[in-house]
Amino acid sequence: MAGRVREELSALAAIFCGPDECEVLSRSETDGTVFRILMKAEGLMDADIPLELVFHLPVNYPSCLPGISVNSEHLTRAQCVAVKEKLLQQAENLLSEPMVHELVLWVQQNLKHILNQPETGSGGGKCPSAASTTVDDGLWITLLHLDHMRSKTKYVKTVEKWASDLRLMGKLMFMGKIILILLQGDRNSIKEYLILQKTSKVDVDSSGKKCKEKMMSVLFETKVQTEHKRFLAFEVKQYSSLDELQKEFETAGLKKLFSEFVLGLVK
């Protein structure tokens, strides 16, 4: 991790020092650093609204924009998208210098104003690319494996909503105890989906308490090739046999993907 990013994270950890207020989610020499800040800002009714801000700092940050995800149980998805868009616009004015603390202060001071704008109430659409200069263009495809779903109905609805909001196509697939999510779309949107999947309380634990997904694994990620089928929607499907699941992958031009990554999940 670059020295400047390390120094910035250290400073942020000192500022947001309460329980779970600042947490590093992942570090990579190739993909950069992802971390979360929990904060509050004044909303429309003068009440403090809890916000979860997830920042992805690419390896060439701060020379490029960070990826930003905004979540709150007190805001609609459209409102979260509007806050994110405003943060990215503000970030463009802060390029070349560490900017996360400045962005956090800015949203604390301006959340009420953002939520008061008419367009904030419009329907949620695709979140714009946060750092398009750091990734390849074109469609990407990612295969995820989930260990289990305790609250299946709620979990499925959440996955469908995220896919719709981010304009991701593909399938949520069930076959026996195997749960797979095949995503196809813009790479930045897929990355934002992964952040949502890892940081949101999407399921419940054995005691029925809301919990985050801690047992998701990324099996495969690549740019869509000519032999790959272009999905036109995101759908949930149940398969009665391994052969039926295999035919689904073969029809999508993903026979090799099935052989290398899915067969090994069958016990």
Side-chain angles (χ1 to χ4, degrees):
M1 182 169 52
R4 296 182 75 181
V5 171
R6 186 164 50 246
E7 291 175 5
E8 184 172 12
L9 283 175
S10 179
L12 289 168
I15 296 168
F16 301 96
C17 55
D20 300 322
E21 275 191 344
C22 184
E23 179 184 3
V24 176
L25 302 175
S26 67
R27 288 190 180 101
S28 168
E29 292 183 359
T30 55
D31 291 333
T33 303
V34 178
F35 63 96
R36 176 182 62 210
I37 289 178
L38 302 181
M39 55 164 288
K40 292 182 179 180
E42 185 179 301
L44 290 176
M45 306 301 293
D46 295 330
D48 284 344
I49 294 178
L51 292 177
E52 177 188 69
L53 305 180
V54 179
F55 294 91
H56 171 215
L57 308 184
V59 290
N60 48 347
Y61 167 89
S63 298
C64 67
L65 295 178
I68 302 174
S69 176
V70 178
N71 296 288
S72 175
E73 294 182 355
H74 298 265
L75 300 178
T76 66
R77 183 63 186 157
Q79 288 174 324
C80 289
V81 169
V83 174
K84 171 188 170 179
E85 289 175 346
K86 295 298 183 183
L87 279 170
L88 287 171
Q89 290 174 13
Q90 187 68 15
E92 290 178 353
N93 300 323
L94 302 170
L95 280 173
S96 78
E97 294 294 335
M99 66 181 75
V100 173
H101 188 223
E102 289 290 332
L103 294 176
V104 173
L105 290 177
W106 186 86
V107 79
Q108 283 181 322
Q109 297 165 1
N110 292 276
L111 179 63
K112 186 174 183 178
H113 173 69
I114 296 170
L115 298 179
N116 203 34
Q117 294 179 0
E119 63 268 23
T120 305
S122 61
K126 178 186 174 184
C127 298
S129 297
S132 58
T133 57
T134 68
V135 299
D136 294 320
D137 295 325
L139 287 177
W140 279 70
I141 191 165
T142 298
L143 181 64
L144 311 176
H145 174 241
L146 302 181
D147 184 76
H148 62 271
M149 288 183 182
R150 286 196 172 94
S151 181
K152 183 176 178 179
T153 301
K154 177 179 178 295
Y155 205 133
V156 169
K157 287 183 178 179
T158 301
V159 169
E160 288 180 308
K161 186 178 187 305
W162 288 342
S164 174
D165 288 344
L166 296 169
R167 293 184 184 173
L168 293 172
M169 310 303 170
K171 298 179 185 293
L172 170 55
M173 300 175 281
F174 296 92
M175 200 289 293
K177 292 184 178 181
I178 297 176
I179 307 172
L180 300 169
I181 301 177
L182 190 63
L183 297 173
Q184 188 182 84
D186 177 79
R187 196 181 186 191
N188 279 312
S189 294
I190 291 176
K191 284 188 173 184
E192 178 152 356
Y193 176 94
L194 294 176
I195 290 173
L196 288 169
Q197 183 87 55
K198 292 176 181 178
T199 62
S200 302
K201 291 183 177 180
V202 70
D203 204 2
V204 296
D205 60 20
S206 57
S207 64
K209 185 179 179 181
K210 290 182 180 180
C211 65
K212 296 170 186 173
E213 178 57 68
K214 297 180 179 179
M215 301 185 72
M216 180 196 76
S217 56
V218 179
L219 299 179
F220 180 80
E221 181 183 40
T222 188
K223 199 169 184 178
V224 170
Q225 306 299 313
T226 54
E227 68 270 20
H228 296 158
K229 173 184 176 181
R230 268 60 172 175
F231 296 106
L232 301 178
F234 185 86
E235 57 182 342
V236 180
K237 293 193 68 173
Q238 183 81 42
Y239 303 87
S240 58
S241 67
L242 189 63
D243 286 341
E244 187 180 353
L245 181 62
Q246 182 174 353
K247 287 179 181 177
E248 184 76 76
F249 275 80
E250 290 177 352
T251 301
L254 299 168
K255 182 178 180 179
K256 185 177 180 182
L257 177 61
F258 180 87
S259 300
E260 291 184 7
F261 298 99
V262 180
L263 279 179
L265 300 174
V266 181
K267 297 178 181 179

